[in-house]
Amino acid sequence: KRFAALIGAIGFEMAGFLVAHRAHLTVLEACAWLPWLFHAWRRFAGSGAYRHFATAAIVLGLQMLVQHMQVTIIGLTLLTVYVLVVLWPGRQHLAWQYPLGVALGVMLSGIQLIPTLFFFASSGRSAAAYHLFVENSWWPGSAVLMLFPMLYGARTPNIWDQPWWGMSHFCEQWAYPSILVLVLALASLSLIRKRPDAARRWRREVLFWWGVIIASTILALGRHTPLSEWLFNVPIYRNLRVPARWILVWSFALPVLASTAATVLLAGGDGARRTGRAVRRAALGIVPLLTAVVLAAMFLARWRLDEVIHRFPDPWFAGFFDGLRAAVRPDNPAIWFPVGCIVLTCATAVIWSRRPGRGASVVLCLVFLVDISSVTAFVDVDTKAYQQRDIEQPPPLTEAIRELEPRAGERLLVPRFSASYDRPIEVLWPQTNVRHGVATLNGYGPLWPAGHRLLLRFMPWGSSESILSLLADPAMCRALGVRFLAVRSTEERRLLETARWPRLPNPEVQPIAETSTGMRPVRAGEDLLWSVRIDQPGIYELRIEIESGGEPSGRGFVRLETVAGEGIDRTFSIEPVDWSLGRRQLRWLLRCDGAVGDARVRVKSERGWSMSVGHAAFGRIASPSGPAGSASATTQAAQAAPPIHRRDLPDGVSLYELPAVRPLVGWASQVVAEPDLRSTVDLLTNKTAQVNLPGGVVIEWAKNAAPPSITDTGSIQVDRPRPEETLAKVNTPGPGLLVFNETYDPGWRAFVGGLQAPVHRVNAVAQGVSVPAGVHEVRFVYYPVGLRAGCIWTAGGILLLLAGAWATRRYDSA
């Protein structure tokens, strides 16, 4: 029935998961192929026609080209179970036809999949971390949102007048299906009972969808169940994040169940009468009862809130309790509006179930659309702070940077210790500026190269817990091509202010006595405590050697605190990727605003024996009032030309500029050779050898081999005709190392005078090529690793599909 199909289609398109993730375009693009995938396999199981088999393979290939692998894995898991439980009993040949179709679909995506796997292997994401695996698990309290979708507010304040106060992120918890879909899905339970009529054929289908709803709920709970410990041992799957995304299954299954119930009811006969009674039971009994229970629980929790807070004093719950106190009140539209929608929808559904004619169906559909649109129109849309022009036009920051005429390779840095969601559109500052031609150093991306993580400790959302170390080292910023700094929040301004504190001529970093005996294991529940002293305000440096322990997927933490256990600065995390290359020394800068006296460093493990630590050092390296004596030449060089304030922009944004940054292509003025990435990063971060940045570089070079000869006086003319190609015409009196200050990737190739030359990693994150004396054209070209193999796989998949079509046609004609 078309009306039933319409309910299911709108229910899926406007489902909570898809609406909440509308800022994640790849999620939506991958989800859009799911209905087509199920439709194609269902049609093939019913008819055996090759065109449906080919469609299924092509649709899977197109979905995988989107490259949101989590949605693909969830969808394929769901589809595989569907084929085994629902389709295979009616078509035994699916035992080999289905794996063949999936294999062909994977082959079709090879042009994207294989390069992505190579890129993934060289990224920090390849080192699986348990805390990321269970990050944003679905919180059971979010079930309230199935009836009261805006009770916890939204991530951006809007007409519901309260910011999000639920646990985890809004987009990972919100799964509102609409009241009509919920009523009809509950009514579908009546089709489970065995009956001798036509409704019996729906039994297996309904059982399947309710079964996967239960199973996906368990998977979505993530850290709240022991199952996550077992699933973490599954290769590839263990590198995913956010178990809560399994609620995608609800957003797919509930509309299917609703459409099934509507189909049976509209078909007439005994099945329609029983389904009509089930709709009325759901609308007049089950949904009102659930609503009453949720309302009672809400107001009871609000009434006894002080007792609840006393039982759960952990600060982690504080934001939730504050939100509960503010939201649970009778005049809150997030409570009374859903109640009105429930009453209106249930009443209309009852009338429609008795006489499901065209008029009643139209009215029911209108009520359905009012319910859906009343909440989805305001999800993640700050109607008070943003206008359409704020998104379409270049931001003021972009215009201000353009006025300073940036050259190729000069980048913007937005310094963040942690992610900021105060004004969500600006979480993607770097991306919004890239759209307008402004290059950035940090941004949002899940597959950061390992070198960036190890050197700069950036997280996928563009923040770094070592951002103070970077800001306090203007020479490193210049070497990375950072010409522009933009700050907005109080945290960002405080970081920049702290970074400008003058360095001491003689840093006071001394070994910590308790760590001199060697490496000690750090186990969960057995924190290490080291005694230190803080006698004056300033920036203090902490260095610790780390190596992996027996539970390398666990996370570690480091905190500077008073002897009473109060934190002096932020808590720093140590990710599994940080020790993935073996033993190394980590360095943190901490701000201390006063003389604390006796203090301590706490090192702890989140789970198991994650790491071993030792050989730590601690001491003051900068003072807010400046050193007592004159700084050394080295200190003056490090602090030379700090960021210059250029402009204050709307919304509290301030723009700073660093002069004389490394160009996109330039000569190395000094070369220090190191054998591998680990030693390169340690040298750059801990300054164990003097490297005169920004012109000096640390190059990965064969051990015991002489570093390349350099001449840095040659001329360079640079042209970048395409993002994947850079040309440099050079004239040098002697051999030199030409540094291409673009992100290092094995896909970059260099050609000197038309002949391919080896590309070396420099400064952990860039690349360089040796150039002989004379006039040469140096050409850097990006060709993703694995692209050729991917093209072959995709072409092979296309040929196999065409061969299958030809063979099927020959067989049919015979």
Side-chain angles (χ1 to χ4, degrees):
K1 297 295 183 178
R2 293 182 179 179
F3 178 74
L6 180 64
I7 293 294
I10 296 176
F12 175 67
E13 181 184 4
M14 307 296 286
F17 181 91
L18 275 72
V19 172
H21 282 278
R22 66 184 180 189
H24 301 153
L25 294 182
T26 54
V27 171
L28 301 188
E29 291 164 355
C31 288
W33 292 108
L34 279 177
W36 291 99
L37 197 58
F38 276 78
H39 174 74
W41 279 111
R42 188 181 176 106
R43 292 293 299 272
F44 175 70
S47 67
Y50 180 78
R51 66 179 183 276
H52 298 308
F53 175 85
T55 299
I58 293 170
V59 167
L60 177 59
L62 291 172
Q63 186 198 56
M64 295 187 71
L65 285 175
V66 175
Q67 282 301 289
H68 198 285
M69 292 305 300
Q70 190 167 21
V71 172
T72 296
I73 288 173
I74 292 172
L76 268 182
T77 302
L78 183 62
L79 178 62
T80 301
V81 179
Y82 182 79
V83 169
L84 291 174
V85 174
V86 179
L87 302 183
W88 178 71
R91 186 177 182 84
Q92 301 293 314
H93 291 309
L94 283 173
W96 64 269
Q97 291 170 334
Y98 175 71
L100 178 60
V102 171
L104 286 172
V106 173
M107 287 185 68
L108 292 175
S109 71
I111 192 172
Q112 177 85 318
L113 178 63
I114 294 179
T116 300
L117 291 177
F118 276 104
F119 196 74
F120 167 80
S122 62
S123 73
R125 190 71 172 270
S126 62
Y130 182 77
H131 79 95
L132 291 177
F133 177 70
V134 297
E135 180 188 35
N136 290 323
S137 298
W138 192 73
W139 183 55
S142 295
V144 172
L145 303 176
M146 302 293 282
L147 291 170
F148 295 87
M150 307 307 287
L151 176 66
Y152 293 162
R155 195 169 71 175
T156 56
N158 49 47
I159 64 169
W160 299 103
D161 202 30
Q162 189 168 5
W164 173 255
W165 53 275
M167 298 295 185
S168 178
H169 291 306
F170 171 86
C171 62
E172 312 299 359
Q173 303 294 316
W174 204 73
Y176 182 60
S178 81
I179 301 303
L180 177 61
V181 166
L182 191 60
V183 167
L184 292 178
L186 290 171
S188 71
L189 290 168
S190 66
L191 302 175
I192 293 177
R193 294 174 58 189
K194 290 185 177 181
R195 296 187 179 90
D197 58 19
R200 181 179 56 184
R201 69 187 182 92
W202 297 106
R203 183 172 184 270
R204 186 188 299 272
E205 187 103 14
V206 173
L207 276 172
F208 166 78
W209 290 111
W210 279 109
V212 296
I213 286 174
I214 295 171
S216 63
T217 302
I218 296 172
L219 291 170
L221 289 171
R223 70 170 76 245
H224 304 300
T225 72
L227 183 61
S228 58
E229 294 278 355
W230 304 333
L231 291 174
F232 187 67
N233 296 315
V234 179
I236 302 297
Y237 186 78
R238 67 192 308 231
N239 298 97
L240 300 178
R241 297 171 53 220
V242 192
R245 288 180 182 169
W246 277 97
I247 61 178
L248 165 62
V249 175
W250 305 353
S251 292
F252 193 77
L254 289 174
V256 170
L257 289 167
S259 182
T260 300
T263 298
V264 175
L265 192 148
L266 293 170
D270 291 339
R273 284 190 289 273
R274 280 190 288 269
T275 304
R277 288 196 296 269
V279 170
R280 292 189 286 277
R281 282 196 298 270
L284 298 176
I286 300 175
V287 171
L289 177 61
L290 291 174
T291 304
V293 169
V294 172
L295 284 171
M298 268 194 270
F299 284 96
L300 179 62
R302 176 64 183 85
W303 177 42
R304 310 301 293 269
L305 183 58
D306 291 337
E307 295 180 22
V308 176
I309 294 175
H310 180 72
R311 292 188 61 184
F312 299 95
D314 193 316
W316 190 67
F317 294 102
F320 178 80
F321 293 144
D322 291 342
L324 180 66
R325 192 188 303 276
V328 181
R329 62 183 196 278
D331 65 330
N332 186 355
I335 294 178
W336 59 258
F337 188 86
V339 170
C341 283
I342 291 170
V343 171
L344 180 61
T345 302
C346 289
T348 309
V350 168
I351 296 171
W352 173 78
S353 69
R354 296 182 186 278
R355 295 181 179 178
R358 178 174 298 179
S361 296
V362 170
V363 173
L364 183 65
C365 190
L366 290 175
V367 171
F368 174 43
L369 293 176
V370 169
D371 178 14
I372 286 287
S373 60
S374 64
V375 291
T376 58
F378 303 102
V379 169
D380 261 4
V381 177
D382 189 348
T383 57
K384 296 179 180 179
Y386 294 113
Q387 303 296 322
Q388 185 173 352
R389 63 177 180 272
D390 296 328
I391 300 174
E392 294 177 344
Q393 297 178 355
L397 175 61
T398 299
E399 298 290 355
I401 291 175
R402 284 176 176 173
E403 291 176 7
L404 296 175
E405 300 180 350
R407 295 178 293 272
E410 295 179 339
R411 301 178 174 96
L412 165 70
L413 171 64
V414 180
R416 288 180 175 146
F417 184 94
S418 56
S420 170
Y421 296 100
D422 294 336
R423 287 169 59 89
I425 195 173
E426 290 164 4
V427 173
L428 299 179
W429 254 12
Q431 277 83 347
T432 57
N433 281 282
V434 165
R435 178 170 173 250
H436 299 288
V438 176
T440 62
L441 181 69
N442 60 327
Y444 193 110
L447 298 181
W448 279 74
H452 282 75
R453 169 62 199 181
L454 295 171
L455 179 65
L456 307 171
R457 307 194 74 239
F458 279 121
M459 295 299 288
W461 39 90
S463 64
S464 170
E465 292 180 356
S466 292
I467 195 66
L468 179 57
S469 299
L470 179 59
L471 292 176
D473 191 352
M476 176 65 78
C477 289
R478 291 185 176 90
L480 296 170
V482 176
R483 180 182 169 189
F484 307 105
L485 295 166
V487 296
R488 179 207 66 211
S489 68
T490 302
E491 174 194 78
E492 293 161 4
R493 294 181 184 280
R494 187 172 186 265
L495 284 167
L496 189 57
E497 173 206 356
T498 305
R500 295 163 68 96
W501 287 359
R503 294 294 186 94
L504 299 178
N506 298 304
E508 304 163 353
V509 181
Q510 300 294 328
I512 299 176
E514 293 98 324
T515 68
S516 60
T517 56
M519 307 296 286
R520 292 186 56 186
V522 184
R523 292 183 170 88
E526 301 177 10
D527 300 356
L528 300 184
L529 298 174
W530 302 329
S531 299
V532 296
R533 283 195 62 82
I534 303 173
D535 294 322
Q536 299 180 59
I539 299 177
Y540 283 76
E541 181 178 299
L542 174 63
R543 298 178 184 175
I544 304 177
E545 280 193 14
I546 66 164
E547 63 182 359
S548 176
E551 185 66 43
S553 62
R555 179 173 51 165
F557 296 96
V558 174
R559 187 172 80 156
L560 182 63
E561 59 184 38
T562 66
V563 292
E566 298 178 357
I568 296 174
D569 200 354
R570 291 179 177 269
T571 299
F572 297 87
S573 61
I574 306 175
E575 301 286 333
V577 66
D578 294 328
W579 55 64
S580 60
L581 298 183
R583 181 187 292 194
R584 53 188 298 254
Q585 188 178 77
L586 294 186
R587 171 178 177 264
W588 298 273
L589 297 187
L590 305 97
R591 171 171 168 158
C592 301
D593 291 320
V596 178
D598 288 333
R600 63 190 186 186
V601 174
R602 182 185 294 272
V603 184
K604 65 185 302 178
S605 176
E606 188 173 38
R607 63 194 300 265
W609 167 27
S610 61
M611 61 183 177
S612 293
V613 299
H615 305 294
F618 179 81
R620 191 167 66 116
I621 64 169
S623 169
S625 57
S630 61
S632 65
T634 300
T635 303
Q636 290 175 352
Q639 290 293 101
I644 302 169
H645 178 259
R646 288 302 185 192
R647 287 185 61 182
D648 289 322
L649 303 168
D651 299 320
V653 178
S654 295
L655 175 64
Y656 293 81
E657 181 184 11
L658 273 170
V661 303
R662 176 186 283 283
L664 179 65
V665 180
W667 297 110
S669 60
Q670 176 196 13
V671 174
V672 175
E674 288 293 334
D676 52 35
L677 177 60
R678 180 185 62 81
S679 54
T680 299
V681 170
D682 282 350
L683 188 152
L684 288 169
T685 56
N686 298 306
K687 305 295 189 294
T688 54
Q690 183 61 39
V691 182
N692 295 319
L693 300 173
V697 300
V698 183
I699 186 172
E700 287 187 32
W701 202 258
K703 193 173 183 179
N704 300 323
S709 302
I710 60 169
T711 301
D712 62 349
T713 57
S715 63
I716 304 175
Q717 294 180 352
V718 179
D719 181 30
R720 197 165 201 179
R722 299 176 297 165
E724 68 274 16
E725 181 180 14
T726 298
L727 301 176
K729 294 181 179 180
V730 303
N731 185 355
T732 173
L737 181 69
L738 194 65
V739 177
F740 180 40
N741 205 27
E742 185 63 88
T743 300
Y744 175 82
D745 186 280
W748 281 107
R749 301 175 182 180
F751 298 86
V752 180
L755 301 176
Q756 187 167 352
V759 176
H760 302 278
R761 192 199 307 253
V762 301
N763 288 347
V765 296
Q767 50 222 322
V769 60
S770 294
V771 178
V775 178
H776 304 280
E777 182 181 78
V778 182
R779 180 168 170 256
F780 295 95
V781 180
Y782 185 72
Y783 191 87
V785 176
L787 180 60
R788 182 172 300 172
C791 291
I792 294 172
W793 274 90
T794 297
I798 294 173
L799 290 175
L800 288 173
L801 280 175
L802 293 175
W806 177 81
T808 302
R809 188 171 182 179
R810 287 287 303 270
Y811 177 81
D812 291 341
S813 61

